[in-house]
Amino acid sequence: MSRSPQAIALLERLIAFDTTSRNSNLALIDWVEDYLTGLGARCERVPSPDGLKSNLHAFIGPETDGGVVLSGHTDVVPVDGQNWSTDPFVLTEKDGKLYGRGTCDMKGFVACALAAAPDLAAAPLKRPVHFAFSYDEEVGCQGAPSMIESIAAGHPKPSAVLVGEPTGMKVVTGHKGLYSVRVEITGHEAHSSLVNAGACAVTNAVILMDFLRREGEALRAAAPDDSPFDPPFGTLTIGRMGGGSAMNILAKDAWFEALMRPAPWDDGPGVGRRLRELAAQVEADMRRTAPDASIRITEVSNVPPLRPETNGEAEGIARALTGDNAPRVVSYGTEGGQFQDGGMSAVICGPGHIDQAHQPDEFVEVSQLEACMVFLKKLEQRLSA
């Protein structure tokens, strides 16, 4: 029997939790943990350092290695400033579409996973199914690493991960990563005619920004001719900047934020290391005229790309369950690369379409949830065979 009505009911409950990343997700985690515990799942929380949020890892089935992870994040992006025609935290169905913040990205998949849980609990599974629900994915995939570390160090150890980000239930085997930094330059104010009496933070910020511009050009040049990505190269952009108080004053402060989306062949942290080396040289030059000058670089996010695997277990499972054999990669990032770096085969496949994510009147089609439920039923049968 189809469990799509159950998935819709569960999605309605999940949408009612306002888990915008700036908020706690603990109420949702409490509810999901109670639900899964009631089905006999063994649950483990991996909280944030401040205890205000938590990941949840649970599994159903035998305590054997080689299980499959159903991975989803619980946080959503803000609705501030968006023109919604419905209440974003009340599920609204219209013309075969389910509207609400997170319906597509990605509580729709979480709801399907939870709707499949009763059948999984009753099935004669030979390998377990794991549930991995994270916090703070939308602000740089900050929550998942501690949970992945716990899963990798624990028992039973899963071997394949299905990340349910919205792909239209198509199989995605690779994506770009995310590496970002905030750079803060402290100089020393002086009259602009007296450059030896201070150090201009803005002028020196330009040196660092130009370095990153050139690194971006190098990423473009490094892309192979057969790159499957769009655009075919890794990208590096400076999205925000500020500083200075007047045109005729050497600026005391300046700052900027840069974001890199490395392709699987790029080295995001390597760019960060080279930036720090240059910053140390620039700081030393500034201190010749301003001993109190300094440059601070904060790594905001470091999310690895998902690298297409040769004969990957997760890809093999997803292709067998969907019948989709087309090669496919995306330019956005997910937690898939983090699971892969944690030693698990990973692939992306979930209900909904990425062009709905983060939008006002975000929706997922009922037909997509139905397709996901068929997918999960086939997974149950595969792991029970």
Side-chain angles (χ1 to χ4, degrees):
M1 182 182 72
S2 170
R3 281 198 175 270
S4 56
Q6 290 91 330
I8 294 172
L10 288 165
L11 180 56
E12 181 177 27
R13 188 69 186 90
L14 294 174
I15 294 300
F17 293 103
D18 180 358
T19 52
T20 304
S21 302
R22 62 185 173 227
N23 300 333
S24 173
N25 73 335
L26 291 181
L28 182 149
I29 291 296
D30 288 342
W31 187 84
V32 172
E33 185 175 24
D34 286 346
Y35 173 87
L36 288 174
T37 300
L39 296 172
R42 282 137 289 183
C43 298
E44 173 199 21
R45 292 194 187 202
V46 183
S48 61
D50 61 9
L52 298 179
K53 301 178 183 181
S54 186
N55 302 293
L56 180 66
H57 168 228
F59 73 92
I60 287 173
E63 292 191 26
T64 58
D65 292 342
V68 175
V69 177
L70 303 178
S71 165
H73 62 81
T74 64
D75 61 318
V76 298
V77 297
V79 299
D80 306 46
Q82 294 187 336
N83 185 22
W84 283 72
S85 61
T86 66
D87 186 330
F89 299 106
V90 176
L91 191 70
T92 303
E93 183 172 0
K94 182 180 179 181
D95 298 329
K97 298 174 181 177
L98 300 165
Y99 293 86
R101 174 54 87 219
T103 49
C104 170
D105 183 19
M106 58 180 299
K107 290 180 177 179
F109 177 77
V110 174
C112 287
L114 295 176
D119 282 356
L120 290 168
L125 297 175
K126 293 183 172 58
R127 289 192 286 163
V129 172
H130 297 251
F131 303 84
F133 301 141
S134 66
Y135 68 88
D136 280 1
E137 190 272 351
E138 295 289 8
V139 288
C141 297
Q142 296 181 18
S146 60
M147 176 174 59
I148 294 169
E149 183 179 356
S150 177
I151 292 172
H155 175 77
K157 292 182 175 63
S159 58
V161 182
L162 306 176
V163 181
E165 291 278 6
T167 67
M169 292 309 299
K170 301 297 184 181
V171 179
V172 170
T173 61
H175 64 62
K176 293 181 179 179
L178 180 70
Y179 184 81
S180 62
V181 295
R182 178 179 172 89
V183 181
E184 297 168 293
I185 303 97
T186 301
H188 188 88
E189 283 186 326
H191 193 278
S192 59
S193 66
L194 302 174
V195 294
N196 288 335
C200 182
V202 170
T203 300
N204 286 281
V206 169
I207 298 172
L208 302 179
M209 288 190 284
D210 185 60
F211 165 80
L212 292 176
R213 179 190 61 80
R214 288 183 278 111
E215 286 286 322
E217 292 176 350
L219 294 176
R220 182 186 291 262
D225 293 338
D226 61 350
S227 169
F229 290 95
D230 181 20
F233 45 85
T235 58
L236 199 163
T237 55
I238 296 171
R240 296 208 308 154
M241 61 179 292
S245 58
M247 185 169 61
N248 60 350
I249 299 176
L250 301 183
K252 180 180 179 181
D253 299 300
W255 62 272
F256 65 88
E257 293 173 341
L259 185 148
M260 177 181 177
R261 294 189 180 274
W265 52 81
D266 296 323
D267 181 9
V271 173
R273 287 192 295 272
R274 292 191 291 277
L275 176 65
R276 291 177 188 278
E277 290 170 0
L278 175 60
Q281 297 172 18
V282 173
E283 183 182 74
D285 288 341
M286 293 175 69
R287 287 180 174 176
R288 291 191 177 98
T289 56
D292 54 346
S294 65
I295 299 177
R296 178 183 179 187
I297 299 176
T298 303
E299 184 179 280
V300 178
S301 58
N302 182 7
V303 182
L306 177 66
R307 297 168 174 82
E309 303 168 2
T310 302
N311 299 319
E313 180 185 356
E315 178 184 354
I317 292 172
R319 294 203 184 283
L321 300 183
T322 61
D324 174 27
N325 292 311
R328 190 176 293 102
V329 299
V330 295
S331 292
Y332 58 82
T334 77
E335 295 167 341
Q338 294 174 318
F339 277 101
Q340 192 177 62
D341 275 13
M344 289 164 264
S345 174
V347 75
I348 316 301
C349 186
H353 302 280
I354 194 62
D355 57 359
Q356 290 302 317
H358 303 185
Q359 299 300 308
D361 288 346
E362 176 183 352
F363 69 83
V364 66
E365 296 165 334
V366 173
S367 61
Q368 284 286 300
L369 297 187
E370 292 172 345
C372 187
M373 294 309 301
V374 171
F375 174 89
L376 294 173
K377 188 64 177 180
K378 291 180 178 179
L379 176 65
E380 172 202 317
Q381 295 166 346
R382 180 186 181 95
L383 296 181
S384 299

